[in-house]
Amino acid sequence: MAQSEAHHLQEIYQRLTTDSQRLTQQLAELTATARAMKQQLNGEGHLDLGTFSDQLETFASIEAGNRQIDALNARHDTAVTRLTHAQLLLPQAYFAKLQLDFGDGDAEALYLGKVGYTDENTNDLIYDWRAPVADAYYANRTGATSYQANGRTIPVTVTQRQQFIIDHDQLQQVIDTNAAIGDPLLLDVLASNRSGGLQEITATIQQEQNAIIRESRQPIVLVDGVAGSGKTSVLLQRVAYQLYRHRDSWTPEDILILTPNVAFSRYIRGVLPALGEAEPLSTTYLHLVQSWGRRFGVTIPTTDGNHLAELAKIIQDPLVQTPAGLAPAAYAQSNDRTALLSRMQRAWRWLQAVDRVPEDINQWLDWPAFAQELGLAELTPYDQLYLLLRFTNFQQTTTAALFVDEAQDYAADTWLFLTALYHNADLTIVGDHRQRLTGQAITIADYFDPAQTAVRHLTTSYRATGEITRFFAQFAGDWRTTIQAVQTAGTAPQVLENADLKDVLADLPVTTGQSIGVLTPSPQRATELAAQLPAAQLLTGEGTRTVRPGINIMPLTVAKGLEFDFTVVTDWTAGFYTDDPLGDNRRYVAASRGTKGLILIK
Ligand SMILES: Nc1ncnc2c1ncn2[C@@H]1O[C@H](COP(=O)(O)OP(=O)(O)OP(=O)(O)O)[C@@H](O)[C@H]1O
């Protein structure tokens, strides 16, 4: 069996290699043809617009030239996509094989890869992991299951399920998961080093993760999952899935990912290209607000001190007087018993209808006077932007799907702002309510319409050894008894008293290429320690560095979402980690960053 699989791989590998060479050659020829065509068109040069029939002839020849260019472009794009796919598949053509019985007793074999690949007759040689039928693989077992395709449920029996470890044309291992308990490939992957950015998890996506990645019934998906449960991984796999599902209408530019800081953006960069997709846009919340502010002529230095939560309530109440700066005739379009929000939206529509919209929307109202009318000391620029979005019922069209990571760290204002701005976009929001490092606890689901929201939980933690997982679980409050570890025990975390950081680092059983994260309570402490350790790199929130092999020093706020082979936490008994109410949350975040080793220095 393994021999015929080895043979099959050789065949596919050979085809991918030959196709890559042929497509590279074809692209070179297409480029040469395009160049020649351009020269020819330029040479034909002058436009003869003399008589009417000359004009017709000239336009017909331009049109024919355009058609040739379009055909060339289409051939070029097809060749580029196929070449990209062939090259992506060369190192690992596929990761699994399913034998499926659709009820006719005739088993059908299909191979799954990071992208799909067909032969010249469009027979599927490799199925894309995002194809509907691939869902049967992620049920993670053999036997009867079903998948959704074109709005129909298709029942199917998985008669055999195999996973492959492949290195180019070498079939290194076949894992028959018919009878296997657990997921040996998953454990193998989890034991590997974490020396840089996050990796794609296509081959080992677990069932509860798959359900989130493929959720298609609701436009809003809200995930609350424990540390290391794969939230960021799931978010990125879902980006790839959404791009596949909407491949006829969306491009990566239609997607926006909100990340906590630049170091994190860099940490996740690479996952989507590894899945054959271009990098989507990612930004921090403050940058997002600032860029929308610029479009409305509002400069927003900070979101601090905002009144969005109060404003959201206030604008639901009636306001009798005409807001300062607004033409009374516009406001008089509505009844003074209706809510301020509806009145302002009507006033806006009226102003549009009579062509009296102010040239600079930013100047629409007299903000200090309006603040007084609303009973507020001031309206910050961020408040003003929020009101402008709501009053003008602004519909953004640049983003089709918004993804938010580390959601627990955003306060109420973020959800009010995002729901106002992105009410026509798909939203995927992932976080862990116990990893909140600042602010007040809120229930994110309260900001979304339950009829449009799928709420999911992830309770298995994949990142760390069993010992580390059980250790950090003790600080996880209501998650404490929920968190499940999948990895074997490993070494127990150590708590050291008055230990010298340099000695601790020197004693770590680190091998080449492994990463160490040194986590401090504050940025100042991180800078101070980095100065004492010349070999270490300092990570800051706005800096462009991300995790690399060796020693990485950073404050806890920057370590959020990241992971290291070994983690050393300094000042473990300082107030930062023991104070109520956030001390335990901070301990939970800090202790859940290491995959193989954890040392806490008192
Ligand atoms: N199904 C999976 N297969 C392989 N690896 C996985 C899987 N799920 C998660 N992992 C790995 O577990 C680690 C944690 O994943 P990830 O960072 O996505 O979790 P998280 O829930 O976002 O964590 P945190 O909230 O602590 O930042 C990563 O190394 C990821 O590659």
Side-chain angles (χ1 to χ4, degrees):
M1 186 52 147
Q3 215 167 16
S4 71
E5 287 303 340
H7 181 69
H8 180 78
L9 175 62
Q10 296 283 343
E11 274 183 6
I12 297 282
Y13 185 77
Q14 190 52 49
R15 177 184 284 272
L16 292 170
T17 313
T18 326
D19 281 6
S20 293
Q21 289 159 350
R22 190 179 43 75
L23 289 161
T24 308
Q25 167 81 21
Q26 191 184 332
L27 277 168
E29 284 163 14
L30 282 171
T31 310
T33 315
R35 204 173 290 132
M37 196 183 288
K38 204 169 158 220
Q39 267 167 1
Q40 191 194 346
L41 289 175
N42 284 346
E44 281 169 4
H46 80 281
L47 298 180
D48 190 348
L49 300 175
T51 65
F52 181 61
S53 80
D54 288 341
Q55 284 176 16
L56 281 184
E57 219 166 281
T58 303
F59 290 135
S61 99
I62 292 174
E63 189 50 40
N66 284 345
R67 270 201 304 276
Q68 271 178 307
I69 291 171
D70 285 349
L72 215 59
N73 278 341
R75 282 176 62 202
H76 180 269
D77 290 352
T78 312
V80 167
T81 307
R82 201 162 158 80
L83 178 60
T84 314
H85 287 180
Q87 287 177 338
L88 188 79
L89 293 170
L90 270 172
Q92 187 201 29
Y94 41 82
F95 55 83
K97 177 184 178 185
L98 289 182
Q99 295 273 7
L100 298 180
D101 182 350
F102 286 92
D104 51 8
D106 195 10
E108 215 173 286
L110 55 92
Y111 291 84
L112 300 181
K114 278 179 217 153
V115 288
Y117 205 77
T118 58
D119 65 13
E120 47 289 338
N121 300 319
T122 66
N123 296 315
D124 291 293
L125 300 174
I126 299 164
Y127 280 80
D128 195 301
W129 68 278
R130 299 163 290 186
V133 67
D135 204 9
Y137 169 73
Y138 295 109
N140 277 9
R141 57 181 166 76
T142 52
T145 181
S146 65
Y147 63 90
Q148 301 287 320
N150 300 326
R152 285 193 311 130
T153 303
I154 303 188
V156 66
T157 303
V158 181
T159 56
Q160 193 182 25
R161 182 178 184 273
Q162 289 171 308
Q163 294 170 320
F164 301 113
I165 297 180
I166 283 172
D167 182 5
H168 292 82
D169 58 347
Q170 296 301 309
L171 179 59
Q172 296 186 327
Q173 207 182 334
V174 180
I175 303 160
D176 206 317
T177 50
N178 267 356
I181 298 167
D183 190 335
L185 184 59
L186 173 70
L187 295 179
D188 209 47
V189 169
L190 294 176
S192 63
N193 288 341
R194 309 306 212 283
S195 50
L198 195 66
Q199 303 294 313
E200 52 90 12
I201 59 164
T202 315
T204 50
I205 291 168
Q206 301 298 291
Q207 201 175 3
E208 69 275 16
Q209 296 175 325
N210 181 49
I212 297 168
I213 293 165
R214 292 179 185 248
E215 169 59 52
S216 305
R217 279 162 301 198
Q218 308 288 9
I220 302 160
V221 179
L222 210 55
V223 181
D224 191 12
V226 304
S229 57
K231 297 180 294 294
T232 306
S233 304
V234 163
L235 181 150
L236 294 167
Q237 299 281 152
R238 182 166 164 78
V239 171
Y241 177 74
Q242 296 269 61
L243 283 170
Y244 177 84
R245 206 171 143 245
H246 300 280
R247 59 193 175 281
D248 295 332
S249 47
W250 292 9
T251 70
E253 274 119 68
D254 294 310
I255 287 183
L256 180 66
I257 307 180
L258 278 192
T259 58
N261 54 51
V262 183
F264 187 86
S265 292
R266 294 209 151 219
Y267 171 72
I268 61 172
R269 177 185 291 182
V271 172
L272 282 153
L275 294 171
E277 299 292 351
E279 198 68 65
L281 304 168
S282 76
T283 186
T284 61
Y285 182 63
L286 180 60
H287 284 152
L288 177 82
V289 168
Q290 288 174 330
S291 81
W292 280 103
R294 278 193 294 278
R295 291 191 211 187
F296 281 78
V298 186
T299 305
I300 302 175
T302 173
T303 54
D304 290 351
N306 72 76
H307 305 90
L308 264 59
E310 288 121 293
L311 288 169
K313 283 202 197 92
I314 293 173
I315 60 180
Q316 296 309 328
D317 292 332
L319 184 80
V320 179
Q321 75 203 93
T322 306
L326 178 68
Y331 207 50
Q333 297 307 304
S334 54
N335 184 316
D336 64 9
R337 284 183 304 280
T338 46
L340 171 63
L341 178 62
S342 327
R343 296 197 74 182
M344 291 302 275
Q345 286 177 345
R346 261 197 225 183
W348 178 255
R349 282 202 298 276
W350 183 82
L351 289 167
Q352 279 180 317
V354 298
D355 224 0
R356 282 171 55 185
V357 166
E359 224 162 81
D360 178 1
I361 308 183
N362 174 35
Q363 300 297 324
W364 198 35
L365 295 170
D366 175 344
W367 296 109
F370 189 42
Q372 261 189 352
E373 284 162 9
L374 299 181
L376 296 170
E378 61 158 352
L379 285 167
T380 67
Y382 177 39
D383 294 337
Q384 293 167 21
L385 175 63
Y386 174 68
L387 289 175
L388 286 172
L389 291 177
R390 304 279 327 251
F391 291 167
T392 59
N393 205 4
F394 182 77
Q395 311 257 335
Q396 69 83 34
T397 51
T398 42
T399 301
L402 176 72
F403 291 78
V404 186
D405 204 341
E406 301 290 342
Q408 72 285 344
D409 283 331
Y410 297 106
D413 63 280
T414 304
W415 306 114
L416 291 167
F417 185 84
L418 292 180
T419 47
L421 186 55
Y422 292 100
H423 55 92
N424 52 2
D426 280 8
L427 298 179
T428 302
I429 297 163
V430 308
D432 174 353
H433 71 281
R434 297 303 312 190
Q435 288 193 51
R436 184 172 53 84
L437 291 187
T438 52
Q440 298 291 318
I442 56 163
T443 306
I444 299 171
D446 291 349
Y447 296 84
F448 297 93
D449 175 2
Q452 302 219 346
T453 309
V455 178
R456 299 276 180 267
H457 293 99
L458 290 174
T459 53
T460 303
S461 189
Y462 300 94
R463 174 177 295 131
T465 59
E467 288 273 11
I468 294 179
T469 307
R470 278 184 286 281
F471 181 83
F472 70 68
Q474 67 182 300
F475 306 111
D478 57 340
W479 280 137
R480 181 196 285 249
T481 51
T482 316
I483 301 178
Q484 303 288 322
V486 286
Q487 294 198 50
T488 48
T491 351
Q494 294 177 56
V495 184
L496 305 177
E497 204 145 347
N498 291 327
D500 181 70
L501 179 60
K502 270 192 198 150
D503 297 340
V504 170
L505 292 171
D507 287 349
L508 283 178
V510 183
T511 55
T512 319
Q514 289 188 318
S515 62
I516 304 168
V518 177
L519 314 188
T520 63
S522 68
Q524 292 79 354
R525 181 93 167 109
T527 314
E528 195 183 291
L529 291 176
Q532 295 165 22
L533 297 164
Q537 74 154 346
L538 175 68
L539 263 64
T540 61
E542 286 308 304
T544 52
R545 293 177 179 157
T546 193
V547 186
R548 68 169 194 213
I551 306 167
N552 305 269
I553 302 186
M554 74 214 76
L556 184 67
T557 43
V558 176
K560 301 206 73 174
L562 307 184
E563 63 187 16
F564 317 90
D565 293 304
F566 296 87
T567 299
V568 179
V569 184
T570 72
D571 309 282
W572 182 245
T573 43
F576 180 75
Y577 286 116
T578 52
D579 286 352
D580 255 358
L582 293 174
D584 268 3
N585 289 21
R586 293 172 182 149
R587 283 189 157 187
Y588 168 52
V589 174
S592 58
R593 300 303 102 196
T595 66
K596 300 180 183 66
L598 173 65
I599 294 187
L600 311 143
I601 304 180
K602 281 188 173 180

